[in-house]
Amino acid sequence: MEKDERKAERSRFPKLPEFPRRQDEPLPPGERADIRNEKSFLRLTGILCLLCAVCGLLLGLANLLTEDRIAENQGSRNMGVLEEVLPYGGNYQEIRYSGGDPTIEAVYEAPEAGWVFQVSPAGSFSGRLTLMVGVDVDGVVNGVAVTDSGETEDLGLRASEPEFRNQFTGKTAAVQLEADGGDIAAISGATITSQAVCAAVNSALAAAAELG
Amino acid sequence: MNVGKQIEEGLLTKNPVAVQLLGLCTALAVTTSLLNGLGMGLCVLVVLTLSNGLLSALGPYLPERIHMVSAVVVTASLGGVADLIVQAFFPDLAGNLGLFLPLMAVTCVLLSGAGVYAYENGVASAVLEGLCRGLGYTLVLVLVGVIRELLGKGSFGEGLLNSGRGFQVFPAQFAAGGLVHPVGGFLVLACVIAAVQGFLARPKKAARRKETVRR
């Protein structure tokens, strides 16, 4: 009963034309006309799987061989920056930061000398700005370095030049730009970046006060 | 196999960047200096040559339906391997190229036309094609990189020549710093493309003039 009804329903629609097969072009040897043909389908999938497996193996092998060296490069680059902002002679220990400041990403402790804070301040001008701020045990800023930024060259990127960075050395209390009533000269044309750097230094000082 | 024609097409008349306008994203972004342009160009050259050779050799064993997918898989994998190698052994270059180093895989797929040439030709011819197109790409990148570095920073070969210090041709304060910015990339690349197009259009005119004179 139900079947008949369905049949009647179907017959009300006109039959779709068959998809035209191209008869003029001969198929490549070994190929079947229809992808739904099981044998051809399995063959295609099989070959592609094999190819992907080989390529994946190649990539995995390359990763295995280069992994240590890449980590080493990253480590030595970080170590160089750590030495720059708080000279200690190696042996920095990464410690867990449990304070409430979300912009502080990592803390490296140099026992009895101070801390280096990796800070990504909110409100950088373009993309992520990451700085290393070295603070000694007395809560004095020792050095600031930009490690990663999407800032514009010649404008925001000038934050990584010594003339700007060195202004922070020796600061103990919260820093502000001259325009905001402080004593840090902003980079002309890059006030927002300058503000972000100030915010990062302030975060680091606050965190150092918590730790020390 | 017409070696001369392939070389001429890859380097000049069908240059991937200056004539076919492929891979512009990387060509614009990384060409701030000779080192970056050359590094990126050589990476693409090697990956393109290897993938073309490999695809040409594999071609007969791959059904035509999966030709394009296979080309993308093989080229992208080789690009990934090259990315890791550069990160491991040339960390400074990897730092300069940044995001555009992994994008190399895409550039290579584009430049090889998803392996169309490689599948239709023999291994030797496909390798030569990859080599020529890679060289054409490198040539434009190096040219744009040198112009931008020279006029934008007043230096030449920083990080590469003269034990990494490069040569300061004229003091940096007289340089047009804007050329190192992205906008400078567009300007310089446009000038290079215009120059190449001008050069390609010129011989035809000369030949025509000769003909009329003869008549």
Side-chain angles (χ1 to χ4, degrees), chain B residues 61-74:
Chain B
Y61 305 100
L62 299 172
E64 207 166 331
R65 256 188 237 284
I66 58 167
H67 265 186
M68 194 187 263
V69 189
S70 314
V72 173
V73 168
V74 169

Side-chain angles (χ1 to χ4, degrees), chain A residues 6-200:
Chain A
R6 246 186 245 159
K7 232 179 199 174
E9 185 92 338
R10 219 176 286 155
S11 65
R12 281 198 291 143
F13 296 103
K15 216 178 178 188
L16 287 168
E18 286 273 320
F19 191 78
R21 286 262 170 78
R22 282 192 300 184
Q23 299 289 339
D24 47 337
E25 255 182 65
L27 286 160
E31 279 281 75
R32 301 292 177 89
D34 197 337
I35 189 110
R36 280 166 299 181
N37 179 314
E38 256 176 48
K39 227 177 156 186
S40 157
F41 180 71
L42 281 180
R43 193 169 142 255
L44 288 182
T45 321
I47 292 177
L48 202 53
C49 277
L50 197 70
L51 190 71
C52 287
V54 173
C55 286
L57 199 70
L58 188 73
L59 270 172
L61 206 67
N63 186 45
L64 196 73
L65 292 175
T66 54
E67 199 173 26
D68 293 341
R69 241 193 122 100
I70 292 173
E72 204 178 286
N73 288 339
Q74 187 67 42
S76 66
R77 198 178 309 153
N78 269 349
M79 193 54 78
V81 177
L82 291 178
E83 283 294 341
E84 198 186 325
V85 296
L86 189 73
Y88 185 63
N91 282 331
Y92 295 89
Q93 284 152 18
E94 188 167 357
I95 57 171
R96 270 191 63 191
Y97 172 72
S98 48
D101 194 335
T103 61
I104 293 185
E105 294 183 329
V107 181
Y108 302 91
E109 187 177 40
E112 319 228 325
W115 304 270
V116 178
F117 298 92
Q118 185 184 328
V119 197
S120 278
S124 58
F125 184 67
S126 96
R128 236 171 67 107
L129 177 69
T130 307
L131 298 130
M132 289 282 192
V133 183
V135 182
D136 69 15
V137 274
D138 303 321
V140 180
V141 176
N142 194 71
V144 178
V146 179
T147 52
D148 185 20
S149 85
E151 305 294 328
T152 323
E153 200 157 340
D154 271 352
L155 296 172
L157 205 59
R158 279 171 56 201
S160 47
E161 285 177 7
E163 290 87 47
F164 179 72
R165 289 191 289 144
N166 289 347
Q167 295 185 83
F168 295 96
T169 309
K171 296 282 183 246
T172 50
V175 288
Q176 272 190 319
L177 294 184
E178 278 169 351
D180 301 328
D183 58 354
I184 301 291
I187 307 162
S188 55
T191 312
I192 294 177
T193 310
S194 310
Q195 274 169 344
V197 176
C198 284

Side-chain angles (χ1 to χ4, degrees), chain B residues 64-105:
Chain B
E64 207 166 331
R65 256 188 237 284
I66 58 167
H67 265 186
M68 194 187 263
V69 189
S70 314
V72 173
V73 168
V74 169
T75 315
S77 305
L78 288 173
V81 172
D83 174 17
L84 289 172
I85 290 175
V86 172
Q87 278 189 46
F89 296 99
F90 308 99
D92 292 340
L93 181 64
N96 287 351
L97 297 182
L99 179 66
F100 298 98
L101 187 56
L103 264 182
M104 179 172 57

